[in-house]
Amino acid sequence: PELHFFFFSSHFYPLSFTMKYRLVTETIDVPEGVEAKVEKRVVTITGPRGSLTRSFRQRALVIKHDEANRKITVEIWNSRSKQKSTVHTICTHMNNMMTGVVRGFLYKMRFVYAHFPINGVVAKDNHISIKNFLGEKRSREVTMIGDTKIKKSTDTKDQIEIYGNDVEAVGRSCALIHQATLVRNKDIRKFLDGVYVSEKGHVEALALD
């Protein structure tokens, strides 16, 4: 009898298969005093401080709004592990939106310098001009993103406060200010001048029952 040998290459026949999840779901609660509206994966959150709208149409998922029980449910069907993680991410985005319209977000930044004092000039509560950084003559202009506001702290020297309802806009505005004062062509271990985030919090204090 003849013997036949078959060789299967893993290049053509993958030995590992990615697991699929039939249904992944997560539910969040809409707090009192906050109104939510969901229309075609576009979520609008309205609260005492204003309104925020965000679209989640880039993901193939389902967002259900139970107005009677004040709950929002996010579902994704037949997903792999990477797509599965987007469910919790979107729920986190909506939780941040609810926190923003109720309490707001407040970031504090400090001017750090060794010799040349940094001078920050705030104009129209959404723009700052940073002057005399490392003794340079040119001015660094930074405009806040979206509805984010900026002001100088009244109780602390060389400190500014960036605040708003959208946590991403507030964080990105702080990043623009920090990136505008990066030290170039010098040893950053020695030249530590710049504007750094020193504190993160909320505009409104948490109400205690």
Side-chain angles (χ1 to χ4, degrees):
E2 296 183 1
L3 298 178
H4 299 278
F5 297 94
F6 298 94
F7 177 75
F8 295 95
S9 173
S10 60
H11 178 73
F12 298 100
Y13 298 93
L15 300 179
S16 61
F17 298 92
T18 305
M19 179 179 175
K20 270 196 173 184
Y21 297 86
R22 178 69 173 171
L23 172 63
V24 180
T25 178
E26 185 172 340
T27 303
I28 61 175
D29 297 323
V30 179
E32 295 294 334
V34 176
E35 296 297 329
K37 180 182 178 182
V38 179
E39 184 176 357
K40 297 178 180 179
R41 287 179 289 176
V42 178
V43 180
T44 302
I45 306 294
T46 305
R49 292 182 51 85
S51 179
L52 291 175
T53 301
R54 180 158 185 165
S55 174
F56 299 104
R57 291 182 176 177
Q58 69 274 14
R59 291 295 179 184
L61 44 79
V62 180
I63 301 178
K64 298 179 180 179
H65 183 204
D66 186 356
E67 298 183 6
N69 297 321
R70 301 185 63 85
K71 294 181 181 294
I72 297 179
T73 303
V74 181
E75 298 178 352
I76 186 169
W77 292 80
N78 299 324
S79 64
R80 303 183 188 275
S81 59
K82 286 189 177 181
Q83 288 75 28
K84 178 176 70 74
S85 61
T86 60
V87 173
H88 182 69
T89 300
I90 291 177
C91 290
T92 302
H93 284 316
M94 289 189 288
N95 279 326
N96 286 336
M97 293 167 65
M98 296 175 189
T99 304
V101 298
V102 174
R103 301 181 61 193
F105 292 94
L106 172 66
Y107 285 20
K108 296 181 180 180
M109 304 186 74
R110 297 291 300 270
F111 296 157
V112 178
Y113 53 86
H115 184 269
F116 296 100
I118 301 175
N119 183 22
V121 179
V122 177
K124 298 181 180 179
D125 70 16
N126 66 345
H127 183 88
I128 184 171
S129 300
I130 301 174
K131 302 179 180 180
N132 200 37
F133 177 69
L134 292 179
E136 296 180 4
K137 296 298 182 182
R138 76 179 184 92
S139 176
R140 292 161 167 80
E141 309 291 334
V142 180
T143 302
M144 302 297 102
I145 296 175
D147 296 330
T148 306
K149 306 296 183 182
I150 184 173
K151 66 178 181 180
K152 281 193 170 183
S153 298
T154 57
D155 55 346
T156 306
K157 181 185 176 183
D158 295 331
Q159 180 174 281
I160 55 177
E161 299 178 3
I162 297 91
Y163 59 95
N165 296 342
D166 189 351
V167 64
E168 292 192 11
V170 173
R172 289 169 59 194
S173 299
C174 294
L176 290 178
I177 297 175
H178 173 70
Q179 291 170 358
T181 56
L182 292 179
V183 177
R184 309 289 184 182
N185 303 322
K186 292 182 176 64
D187 188 358
I188 59 175
R189 297 171 297 180
K190 179 69 175 177
F191 293 86
L192 301 176
D193 297 35
V195 184
Y196 300 92
V197 175
S198 60
E199 183 179 342
K200 298 180 181 180
H202 298 281
V203 178
E204 307 287 345
L206 182 62
L208 299 177
D209 297 333

